[in-house]
Amino acid sequence: MTALLEVQDLRVTFGGTAAVRGASLAVAKGETHCLVGESGCGKSVTSLAIMGLLARGGRREASALRFAGLEIGGLNEREMSRLRGDRMAMIFQEPMTSLNPAYTVGSQMTEVLRRHRGATRAQAVDRAAELLGRVGITAPGLRLGQFPHQLSGGLRQRVMIAMALMCDPELLIADEPTTALDVTVQAQILRLLAGLQRDLGLGILLITHDLGVVARIADRVSVMYAGEVVESAPTAELFGNPRHPYTRGLLACVPVPGKVKRGDPLGSIPGVVPRIPPGFRGCAFRDRCEYAHAECSGPIPRQQAGPGHEVLCTLALAA
Ligand SMILES: Nc1ncnc2c1ncn2[C@@H]1O[C@H](COP(=O)(O)OP(=O)(O)O)[C@@H](O)[C@H]1O
Ligand SMILES: [Mg+2]
């Protein structure tokens, strides 16, 4: 299976601070890959780096950054903006990040298709109305004429998803798309994403704090800690046989997929995610880890714990 998205050894720094320190991950066509980890672990920076949307001052390096077999690490901003919104799209926690308050929903949605695909106005309006319907918005004609501030948070989120889908992207990156919404709307949006993925064969990289969501919709899960992917495995394997002490901490309250309820948060582990100084060696989790020993200050091996299951730890904790 060739990966739709392939990220190898991604590093992102802001000045002297390393936000991502050698992260690798892949998303296959039609697959949902969830990225989890506490706040500040580098999940958003990873997704922004992939999309070429890092804030000013952010520097990105990677040994490979491939989308649909195409190396995109060396593309310039003009070439990237041709891909973004077209073959790869991103939705954010806060819809106003991608919606412009000064334009109607209709003009923003149609602009995407006209710019990338040279569609006529009428074609673009049809497509926008169809997608609003698809994301569960009734009276699309009315909504197309409204401004973002006239919509509720849930509607804005749906509009942003519909807008991301205008050009039929192959990859959708969603960064905590439901965190700001109430639980009922969250559930609707997630069902929607799962349905779209099934119908359109989208590859999705989903950042979420909600283990219930992960258990229900992820094919694969990667766990980030302090800028590194410390464990990655197919979903059932990760929940059933977590090997990294950090993953175990996150799953502490909810070890079994069937028993995870919607809205169950990641477990909380005493301590905080450390800032990693330049030249740091060893495991970044060692100060919070009950299994830490002398070897954790040296080079950390990436171990194979099963098929498609990798763990970055000196111990391969048994199940
Ligand atoms: N624009 C920025 N400038 C400097 N540091 C940043 C910037 N954006 C993120 N960081 C830092 O990068 C690290 C990872 O942040 P982020 O990816 O937002 O975490 P997460 O999404 O996992 O909560 C944090 O230490 C954060 O302070
Ligand atoms: Mg984030």
Side-chain angles (χ1 to χ4, degrees):
M1 188 161 41
T2 50
L4 178 62
L5 174 71
E6 205 179 337
V7 179
Q8 270 169 28
D9 204 22
L10 174 69
R11 294 167 188 278
V12 180
T13 51
F14 293 97
T17 315
V20 180
R21 305 182 299 127
S24 298
L25 57 87
V27 182
K29 183 172 157 34
E31 176 184 67
T32 297
H33 189 142
C34 281
L35 192 54
V36 303
E38 292 161 294
S39 214
C41 282
K43 306 180 300 295
S44 294
V45 169
T46 297
S47 60
L48 292 167
I50 293 168
M51 294 298 280
L53 291 174
L54 282 176
R56 225 169 227 283
R59 263 183 56 95
R60 175 186 79 183
E61 278 174 45
S63 60
L65 189 52
R66 276 192 286 271
F67 170 72
L70 175 75
E71 175 57 51
I72 60 171
L75 297 187
N76 63 32
E77 175 48 30
R78 205 164 56 92
E79 293 163 329
M80 265 321 281
S81 69
R82 222 178 282 149
L83 280 180
R84 269 197 312 263
D86 186 356
R87 298 183 63 191
M88 49 203 281
M90 181 157 180
I91 58 182
F92 301 87
Q93 177 172 346
E94 173 44 64
M96 293 312 275
T97 309
S98 29
L99 296 176
N100 188 327
Y103 295 94
T104 62
V105 166
S107 67
Q108 295 181 61
M109 289 185 72
T110 55
E111 202 270 335
V112 181
L113 199 66
R114 300 183 73 185
R115 174 160 43 96
H116 287 294
R117 296 292 164 87
T120 66
R121 209 187 114 67
Q123 285 167 336
V125 169
D126 282 352
R127 172 85 178 146
E130 176 208 324
L131 280 170
L132 288 182
R134 183 147 203 161
V135 300
I137 291 180
T138 51
L142 166 75
R143 299 304 183 189
L144 286 174
Q146 289 184 316
F147 289 88
H149 73 263
Q150 296 175 289
L151 308 174
S152 66
L155 277 176
R156 279 204 289 261
Q157 203 75 9
R158 284 167 191 258
V159 165
M160 182 171 59
I161 294 172
M163 194 160 95
L165 297 172
M166 279 299 277
C167 295
D168 251 330
E170 292 145 77
L171 175 72
L172 182 67
I173 298 184
D175 188 358
E176 305 195 34
T178 62
T179 306
L181 303 173
D182 73 53
V183 176
T184 323
V185 183
Q186 275 185 28
Q188 289 167 354
I189 303 263
L190 288 162
R191 261 202 304 279
L192 170 70
L193 283 179
L196 289 167
Q197 192 208 39
R198 203 177 47 237
D199 298 349
L200 306 175
L202 269 178
I204 299 180
L205 180 63
L206 174 67
I207 297 171
T208 176
H209 273 111
D210 187 330
L211 288 176
V213 168
V214 176
R216 276 180 306 124
I217 77 172
D219 297 299
R220 166 171 287 276
V221 188
S222 289
V223 179
M224 264 191 110
Y225 185 74
E228 293 176 306
V229 174
V230 296
E231 184 159 15
S232 181
T235 307
E237 168 76 6
L238 189 101
F239 279 90
N241 185 21
R243 294 297 186 92
H244 198 288
Y246 181 62
T247 309
R248 293 188 166 200
L250 293 180
L251 299 182
C253 330
V254 280
V256 189
K259 291 190 182 159
V260 179
K261 290 196 303 290
R262 179 176 302 149
D264 275 349
L266 300 176
S268 70
I269 303 163
V272 293
V273 182
R275 213 167 245 293
I276 304 298
F280 180 85
R281 270 166 59 88
C283 173
F285 187 60
R286 65 180 186 249
D287 290 344
R288 299 171 75 187
C289 182
E290 57 180 307
Y291 305 98
H293 58 131
E295 278 177 44
C296 303
S297 304
I300 309 297
R302 193 170 288 280
Q303 312 206 50
Q304 201 72 32
H309 185 172
E310 284 195 345
V311 56
L312 187 66
C313 183
T314 56
L315 302 166
L317 296 173

